Amino acid sequence: MEHFSVIQSIIRSGLAGDQDGLDKQVQRLLTRLEKAGQTKEATTVRRLLQSATDTKELTPSRVEVSRAMITGEVLTPDTNPPIDRETGAQLCTIEFPGAQRTAPIYEVDVRETIQGLLDEWTHPEALRCVEVDPTRSLLIFGPPGSGKTMTAYHIAQNLNLPLVMARIDGLISSFLGTTARNIANLFEFANRYACVLLLDEFDALAKQRDDPQEIGEIKRVVNTLLQNLDLRRDHGVTIAITNHDRLLDPAVWRRFETHVHIGEPNMEASIRLVKRFLLPIKPDEATVSIIAYCLQGRSGADLQRICTSIKRTLALSGKEHSGPGIFQALSAVLARLPSHDHAPAKLLATDPDAFVSLITNDNHFAISQLEIAAATGISKSKISELKKSNRHVAVMEASHAK
Ligand SMILES: Nc1ncnc2c1ncn2[C@@H]1O[C@H](COP(=O)(O)OP(=O)(O)OP(=O)(O)O)[C@@H](O)[C@H]1O
Ligand SMILES: [Mg+2]
């Protein structure tokens, strides 16, 4: 069999888990196939290599966490999660490492904070010199759909630990005293095993104790929660998430060493999100910038939803999957959405010429007229005409006057 020696080396590297060796041998096979004129086979190998690179970009790299710092028994799929004694409802669900999840995209500050946390766990010895431990508790807050839950998965996956996700519906009970007991049981379970404990929709448990709508039960629940958070300090990692940070009891905040706000993505992060969500379509940079510019202020989840609609509209339109086709699909999708707070989106939904007039006059939108022409399919001469017209000003004034 031709190339058998290289195939043998590939198998050897694969079985030994030697990624570098594997990459090298696959490259060797590719070169040999090309030299032998086996173009079809070479193309297949090249495609496999390319898709592996794309996946690597999307999958977080797992860091080797100092195991000594996270003690506890090993959770296995056979481990039974704790349950509510009255109803039998599970108090948590568990995700084990290895699930194929994509890494979130953040703007630079959030990226550095999350990466910083992961770095602490990869270099605990550096922290030990100054007599501190890696961060064990994190409170994430921010608007809906910004990637908070996704971040918890990302952290657990990078730490290579199972994620124990509290189930609010299972924890909260109508029986007096049962919610507090469920919380205690959940923490006892999480402390027994090496894991990341996730308290999503945290405000449901950690509401202010002086809330006039609530009676004595909430005080008992919050007090139990605070005690258990204190007891968990030396165990695994704890992540709490909320959309309603203002509702949280003030005593809760200092139980978490780090607080991270994940908001709507800025322009740079939106561009990266749009590129990801439009895949397998790979538009030019100007088209991506136009979409991100229109969707400023929207959450990552919104961007995903709109990009999916663009792809559907484009696919059915029969137009080419490039700039002008995407621009028209974007305009059609925005026109179908009920309302827009953001002026560029509102303009593109109602009057694409006014939108072009806006982007050619906005100094923050650094795309040349030539690129705008290529991305929109509008002629260069019409674009410079629209720039001079300042049409967007009149359209925006008219809409304000309404
Ligand atoms: N920063 C991001 N990076 C990549 N994808 C994102 C991001 N934000 C949102 N998404 C997309 O939106 C989906 C929803 O995100 P996620 O559930 O993490 O939001 P959330 O902040 O927890 O929202 P909620 O407050 O409503 O629970 C994700 O699965 C992902 O596809
Ligand atoms: Mg969430």
Side-chain angles (χ1 to χ4, degrees), residues 127-162:
L127 299 184
R128 218 167 286 137
C129 295
V130 286
E131 295 175 6
V132 288
D133 282 342
T135 302
R136 283 184 183 273
S137 53
L138 171 66
L139 177 62
I140 306 176
F141 61 105
S146 53
K148 301 183 296 299
T149 303
M150 193 181 187
T151 299
Y153 285 112
H154 174 68
I155 292 173
Q157 207 171 44
N158 273 270
L159 298 181
N160 210 5
L161 285 170

Coordinates of all heavy atoms in Angstrom, one line a residue, residues 127-162:
L127 N 1.3 32.3 42.3 CA 0.4 32.9 43.3 C 0.9 32.6 44.7 O 0.8 33.4 45.6 CB -1.0 32.5 43.1 CG -1.7 32.9 41.8 CD1 -3.2 32.5 41.8 CD2 -1.6 34.3 41.4
R128 N 1.4 31.3 44.8 CA 1.8 30.9 46.1 C 2.9 31.7 46.7 O 3.0 31.9 47.9 CB 2.2 29.4 46.1 CG 1.7 28.6 47.3 CD 1.8 27.1 47.1 NE 0.8 26.6 46.2 CZ 1.0 25.7 45.3 NH1 2.2 25.2 45.0 NH2 0.0 25.3 44.5
C129 N 3.8 32.2 45.8 CA 4.9 33.1 46.3 C 4.4 34.3 47.0 O 5.1 34.8 47.9 CB 5.7 33.6 45.1 SG 6.5 32.3 44.2
V130 N 3.2 34.7 46.6 CA 2.6 35.9 47.4 C 1.5 35.5 48.3 O 0.7 36.3 48.7 CB 2.2 37.0 46.4 CG1 3.3 37.7 45.7 CG2 1.2 36.4 45.3
E131 N 1.5 34.2 48.6 CA 0.6 33.6 49.6 C -0.9 33.8 49.2 O -1.7 34.2 50.1 CB 0.9 34.1 51.0 CG 2.3 33.6 51.4 CD 2.7 34.2 52.7 OE1 2.0 34.8 53.4 OE2 3.9 33.9 53.1
V132 N -1.2 33.7 48.0 CA -2.7 33.7 47.6 C -3.0 32.5 46.7 O -2.1 31.9 46.1 CB -3.1 35.0 46.8 CG1 -3.2 36.2 47.7 CG2 -2.2 35.3 45.6
D133 N -4.3 32.2 46.7 CA -4.8 31.0 45.9 C -5.4 31.6 44.7 O -5.8 32.7 44.6 CB -5.8 30.2 46.7 CG -5.1 29.3 47.7 OD1 -3.9 29.1 47.6 OD2 -5.8 28.9 48.7
P134 N -5.6 30.7 43.7 CA -6.4 31.1 42.5 C -7.9 31.5 42.9 O -8.3 31.0 43.9 CB -6.4 29.9 41.6 CG -5.3 29.0 42.1 CD -5.1 29.3 43.5
T135 N -8.5 32.3 42.1 CA -9.9 32.7 42.4 C -10.8 31.5 42.4 O -10.8 30.8 41.4 CB -10.4 33.7 41.3 OG1 -9.4 34.8 41.4 CG2 -11.8 34.2 41.6
R136 N -11.6 31.4 43.4 CA -12.5 30.2 43.5 C -14.0 30.6 43.3 O -14.8 29.8 43.1 CB -12.4 29.6 44.9 CG -11.2 28.7 45.0 CD -11.2 28.0 46.4 NE -10.0 27.3 46.6 CZ -9.9 26.0 46.2 NH1 -10.8 25.4 45.6 NH2 -8.7 25.4 46.5
S137 N -14.3 31.9 43.4 CA -15.7 32.3 43.3 C -15.8 33.5 42.4 O -15.1 34.5 42.5 CB -16.3 32.5 44.7 OG -15.4 33.5 45.3
L138 N -16.8 33.4 41.5 CA -17.0 34.4 40.5 C -18.4 34.7 40.3 O -19.3 33.8 40.3 CB -16.4 33.8 39.2 CG -16.6 34.5 37.9 CD1 -15.9 35.8 37.9 CD2 -16.2 33.7 36.7
L139 N -18.7 36.0 40.3 CA -20.1 36.4 40.1 C -20.2 37.1 38.8 O -19.5 38.1 38.5 CB -20.6 37.4 41.2 CG -22.0 38.0 41.1 CD1 -23.0 36.9 41.2 CD2 -22.2 38.9 42.3
I140 N -21.0 36.6 37.9 CA -21.1 37.2 36.5 C -22.5 37.8 36.4 O -23.5 37.2 36.7 CB -21.0 36.1 35.4 CG1 -19.7 35.3 35.6 CG2 -21.0 36.7 34.0 CD1 -19.6 34.1 34.6
F141 N -22.5 39.1 36.0 CA -23.8 39.8 35.8 C -23.8 40.5 34.5 O -22.7 40.8 33.9 CB -24.1 40.7 37.0 CG -23.1 41.8 37.2 CD1 -23.4 43.1 36.9 CD2 -21.8 41.6 37.8 CE1 -22.5 44.1 37.1 CE2 -20.9 42.6 38.0 CZ -21.3 43.9 37.7
G142 N -25.0 40.8 34.0 CA -25.1 41.5 32.7 C -26.4 41.2 32.1 O -27.2 40.3 32.5
P143 N -26.7 41.9 31.0 CA -28.0 41.7 30.3 C -28.2 40.3 29.7 O -27.2 39.6 29.5 CB -27.9 42.8 29.2 CG -26.5 43.0 28.9 CD -25.8 42.8 30.3
P144 N -29.4 40.0 29.4 CA -29.7 38.7 28.8 C -29.0 38.5 27.5 O -28.7 39.4 26.7 CB -31.2 38.7 28.5 CG -31.8 39.9 29.3 CD -30.6 40.8 29.5
G145 N -28.6 37.2 27.2 CA -28.0 36.8 26.0 C -26.6 37.3 25.7 O -26.2 37.3 24.6
S146 N -25.9 37.7 26.8 CA -24.6 38.2 26.5 C -23.5 37.2 26.6 O -22.3 37.5 26.5 CB -24.3 39.4 27.5 OG -24.5 39.0 28.8
G147 N -23.8 36.0 26.9 CA -22.8 34.9 27.0 C -22.4 34.5 28.4 O -21.3 34.0 28.6
K148 N -23.3 34.8 29.4 CA -22.9 34.5 30.8 C -22.9 33.0 31.1 O -21.9 32.5 31.6 CB -23.8 35.2 31.8 CG -23.9 36.7 31.6 CD -24.8 37.4 32.6 CE -26.2 37.0 32.5 NZ -26.9 37.4 31.2
T149 N -23.9 32.4 30.7 CA -24.0 30.9 31.0 C -22.9 30.2 30.1 O -22.2 29.3 30.6 CB -25.4 30.4 30.6 OG1 -26.4 31.1 31.4 CG2 -25.5 28.9 30.9
M150 N -22.8 30.7 28.9 CA -21.7 30.1 28.0 C -20.3 30.2 28.7 O -19.5 29.3 28.6 CB -21.8 30.9 26.7 CG -21.1 30.3 25.6 SD -21.2 31.5 24.2 CE -20.5 30.4 23.0
T151 N -20.1 31.3 29.4 CA -18.8 31.6 30.1 C -18.6 30.5 31.2 O -17.5 30.0 31.3 CB -18.8 33.0 30.6 OG1 -19.0 33.9 29.6 CG2 -17.5 33.3 31.4
A152 N -19.7 30.2 31.9 CA -19.5 29.2 32.9 C -19.1 27.8 32.3 O -18.2 27.2 32.8 CB -20.8 29.1 33.7
Y153 N -19.8 27.5 31.2 CA -19.4 26.2 30.5 C -17.9 26.3 30.1 O -17.2 25.3 30.2 CB -20.2 26.0 29.3 CG -21.7 25.6 29.6 CD1 -22.7 26.4 29.3 CD2 -21.9 24.3 30.1 CE1 -24.1 26.0 29.5 CE2 -23.2 23.9 30.3 CZ -24.3 24.7 30.0 OH -25.6 24.3 30.3
H154 N -17.6 27.5 29.6 CA -16.2 27.7 29.1 C -15.2 27.5 30.2 O -14.1 26.8 30.0 CB -16.1 29.1 28.5 CG -14.8 29.5 28.0 ND1 -14.1 28.9 26.9 CD2 -13.9 30.4 28.5 CE1 -13.0 29.5 26.8 NE2 -12.8 30.4 27.7
I155 N -15.5 28.1 31.3 CA -14.5 28.0 32.4 C -14.4 26.5 32.9 O -13.3 26.0 33.1 CB -15.0 28.9 33.6 CG1 -14.8 30.4 33.2 CG2 -14.1 28.6 34.9 CD1 -15.3 31.4 34.2
A156 N -15.5 25.8 33.1 CA -15.5 24.5 33.6 C -14.7 23.6 32.6 O -13.9 22.7 33.0 CB -16.9 23.9 33.8
Q157 N -15.0 23.8 31.3 CA -14.3 23.0 30.3 C -12.8 23.2 30.3 O -12.1 22.3 30.2 CB -14.9 23.4 28.9 CG -14.8 22.3 27.9 CD -15.6 22.6 26.7 OE1 -15.5 23.7 26.2 NE2 -16.4 21.7 26.2
N158 N -12.4 24.5 30.5 CA -11.0 24.8 30.5 C -10.3 24.2 31.8 O -9.2 23.9 31.7 CB -10.8 26.3 30.4 CG -10.7 26.8 29.0 OD1 -9.6 26.8 28.4 ND2 -11.8 27.1 28.4
L159 N -11.1 24.2 32.8 CA -10.5 23.6 34.1 C -10.6 22.1 34.1 O -10.1 21.5 35.0 CB -11.2 24.2 35.3 CG -11.1 25.7 35.5 CD1 -11.9 26.1 36.8 CD2 -9.7 26.2 35.6
N160 N -11.2 21.6 33.0 CA -11.4 20.2 32.9 C -12.1 19.5 34.0 O -11.8 18.5 34.5 CB -10.0 19.5 32.7 CG -10.1 18.3 31.8 OD1 -11.1 18.0 31.3 ND2 -9.0 17.6 31.7
L161 N -13.1 20.3 34.5 CA -13.9 19.8 35.7 C -15.4 19.7 35.3 O -15.9 20.4 34.4 CB -13.8 20.8 36.8 CG -12.5 20.9 37.6 CD1 -12.5 22.1 38.5 CD2 -12.3 19.6 38.4
P162 N -16.1 18.7 35.9 CA -17.6 18.7 35.6 C -18.2 19.9 36.1 O -17.8 20.5 37.1 CB -18.0 17.5 36.4 CG -16.8 16.9 37.0 CD -15.7 17.7 36.9

